[in-house]
Amino acid sequence: MLIAPIPSALEHEAVRLWRDCGLVRPWNDPDADLARALDGPSSTVLGAVADEQLLGTVMVGHDGHRGWVYYLAVQPDHRGNGLGRELMSAAESWLREQGVPKLQLMVRADNSAVIEFYKRLGYVDQQVAVLGRFFDKELQELRDQKSSERLR
């Protein structure tokens, strides 16, 4: 198995994997996210590939000070074998090679299994709140609507 920048022939498989793993939300366009990460000078998407099959992904980028990880995903039939840990190690190595001193990531607050995964890797709650907004009013309204539905 090789973990390296995702081959262009597997980009659609990456988006499918993200959907299958529940990482996509209606207000985020994963195809656009993938394109931005691959086109940007300070980001990439790494893929774990064996026998020309995509087993997992991790999107990694940085602002020069903080590295960020998104779309860590492992094919369901390959979970529990350390692949998620290997993908995170590859993302960390990529950031170190870029001279980035730290890595942060966001996990939905109700996703306790994933929070525990990251804790096992040594990540801790940074005691910060993440705030955001969409510049597109319709996307913000969609996000707000889905948030209020979850609270009911």
Side-chain angles (χ1 to χ4, degrees):
M1 180 191 59
L2 175 67
I3 297 177
I6 192 166
S8 60
L10 295 177
E11 290 175 12
H12 292 293
E13 292 298 316
V15 172
R16 183 176 310 142
L17 175 61
W18 299 343
R19 288 185 193 287
D20 291 347
C21 290
L23 300 179
V24 176
R25 294 296 183 258
W27 50 85
N28 291 338
D29 178 350
D31 290 295
D33 289 347
L34 178 71
R36 278 190 293 272
L38 295 176
D39 290 344
S42 59
S43 57
T44 193
V45 178
L46 302 174
V49 179
D51 298 323
E52 298 181 24
Q53 289 192 305
L54 184 65
L55 305 180
T57 65
V58 62
M59 181 184 289
V60 59
H62 67 87
D63 62 14
H65 175 69
R66 288 177 190 84
W68 290 92
V69 162
Y70 305 93
Y71 292 112
L72 175 67
V74 173
Q75 293 285 357
D77 57 340
H78 285 85
R79 292 182 184 162
N81 297 320
L83 184 52
R85 180 180 295 271
E86 288 182 55
L87 284 161
M88 282 302 296
S89 179
E92 291 171 356
S93 293
W94 187 90
L95 288 166
R96 282 189 195 99
E97 290 168 9
Q98 309 299 309
V100 178
K102 73 191 265 187
L103 169 58
Q104 295 186 173
L105 48 92
M106 295 179 282
V107 179
R108 291 183 184 94
D110 62 350
N111 198 342
S112 58
V114 171
I115 291 170
E116 289 306 313
F117 165 78
Y118 285 117
K119 284 182 178 179
R120 288 191 304 273
L121 297 183
Y123 290 85
V124 297
D125 186 340
Q126 297 290 297
Q127 300 297 308
V128 297
V130 177
L131 307 176
R133 68 176 246 193
F134 286 94
F135 298 126
D136 181 313
K137 184 179 176 182
E138 290 178 15
L139 287 176
Q140 185 64 47
E141 288 171 353
L142 177 61
R143 172 69 175 86
D144 294 344
Q145 174 189 359
K146 295 293 182 180
S147 291
S148 64
E149 288 173 7
R150 271 196 302 264
L151 294 175
R152 291 184 213 159

